Amino acid sequence: EPEVTQTPSHQVTQMGQEVILRCVPISNHLYFYWYRQILGQKVEFLVSFYNNEISEKSEIFDDQFSVERPDGSNFTLKIRSTKLEDSAMYFCASSEEMNTEAFFGQGTRLTVV
Amino acid sequence: KNEVEQSPQNLTAQEGEFITINCSYSVGISALHWLQQHPGGGIVSLFMLSSGKKKHGRLIATINIQEKHSSLHITASHPRDSAVYICAVISRYGNKLVFGAGTILRVKS
């Protein structure tokens, strides 16, 4: 069964460093998303991406964040200068079309020290 | 006010019991997801529905659009059903999911 895959599963980084979280969405899906979940809190939307551009972003998604689809399969989230409060589980998701079922990856646990 | 409210926050049941988790939302939606999150953190989609009722194995999800309410039922609960169950809605005017806080379910044998 097709699935969304994320790498790495866990990343530890020093405050101020740049990190890139990687996702491979399901191959025929057109819409891609990043969500995050701070420990003990609910899942929050970060950004959605369609047709090689951002279609919607949240207030959380400020200038330190960027997304890219560098080739036909990968979808990445870059955090330029990590802060302690960026520590969270980051989920990638994809859907075939707008407002269809979203499929989630297993998440990347980011720990900023 | 949260756009998506779930109840209860925590639920402990005995194996075999019938379980209901409720979700209310305040915005116009195009669809609603029920998701499951296990202790490892991964999220699995259980249902997406925009009207009526869906059934998959021992899981049943219903939605009442007029009342802005959905329920997830688990029949003949089992300890392996222990997880966090999350309701999330897709706003009518966007494509993102807005999540509830989740219901922590523990089924004891």
Side-chain angles (χ1 to χ4, degrees), chain A residues 36-45, chain B residues 2-5 86 98-102:
Chain A
R36 80 170 185 192
Q37 185 178 33
I38 294 170
L39 188 64
Q41 298 185 20
K42 57 184 169 183
V43 179
E44 304 172 286
F45 168 77
Chain B
N2 290 324
E3 292 174 285
V4 181
E5 298 273 3
I86 304 171
V98 178
F99 286 74

Side-chain angles (χ1 to χ4, degrees), chain A residues 1-18:
Chain A
E1 185 174 324
E3 58 180 16
V4 177
T5 56
Q6 289 186 242
T7 54
S9 55
H10 191 188
Q11 171 123 23
V12 181
T13 189
Q14 294 264 342
M15 192 168 54
Q17 294 294 305
E18 174 183 287

Side-chain angles (χ1 to χ4, degrees), chain B residues 28-95:
Chain B
I29 68 167
S30 58
L32 180 145
H33 274 66
W34 280 102
L35 306 152
Q36 183 190 57
Q37 186 172 32
H38 277 283
I43 293 174
V44 175
S45 177
L46 299 173
F47 295 103
M48 188 184 94
L49 62 167
S50 54
S51 66
K53 176 178 168 177
K54 285 191 176 179
K55 184 174 189 292
H56 185 253
R58 293 181 294 106
L59 301 177
I60 303 165
T62 63
I63 189 168
N64 185 319
I65 295 290
Q66 286 73 32
E67 294 186 4
K68 293 189 166 70
H69 181 268
S70 175
S71 294
L72 176 69
H73 306 286
I74 305 175
T75 62
S77 58
H78 190 276
R80 65 174 174 266
D81 297 326
S82 299
V84 179
Y85 291 84
I86 304 171
C87 170
V89 301
I90 303 175
S91 163
R92 190 181 296 153
Y93 305 107
N95 198 29

Side-chain angles (χ1 to χ4, degrees), chain A residues 31-35 45-50 53-58 67 75, chain B residues 95-96:
Chain A
Y31 289 81
F32 315 119
Y33 314 85
W34 283 102
Y35 293 87
F45 168 77
L46 290 178
V47 65
S48 60
F49 192 86
Y50 169 72
E53 60 183 28
I54 291 173
S55 50
E56 190 175 353
K57 62 181 181 178
S58 71
V67 288
F75 178 51
Chain B
N95 198 29
K96 67 184 183 191

Side-chain angles (χ1 to χ4, degrees), chain A residues 86-106:
Chain A
D86 294 327
S87 295
M89 184 77 107
Y90 288 80
F91 292 102
C92 174
S94 69
S95 62
E96 195 169 349
E97 295 179 10
M98 193 172 184
N99 296 337
T100 59
E101 187 172 9
F103 293 84
F104 286 79
Q106 288 299 301

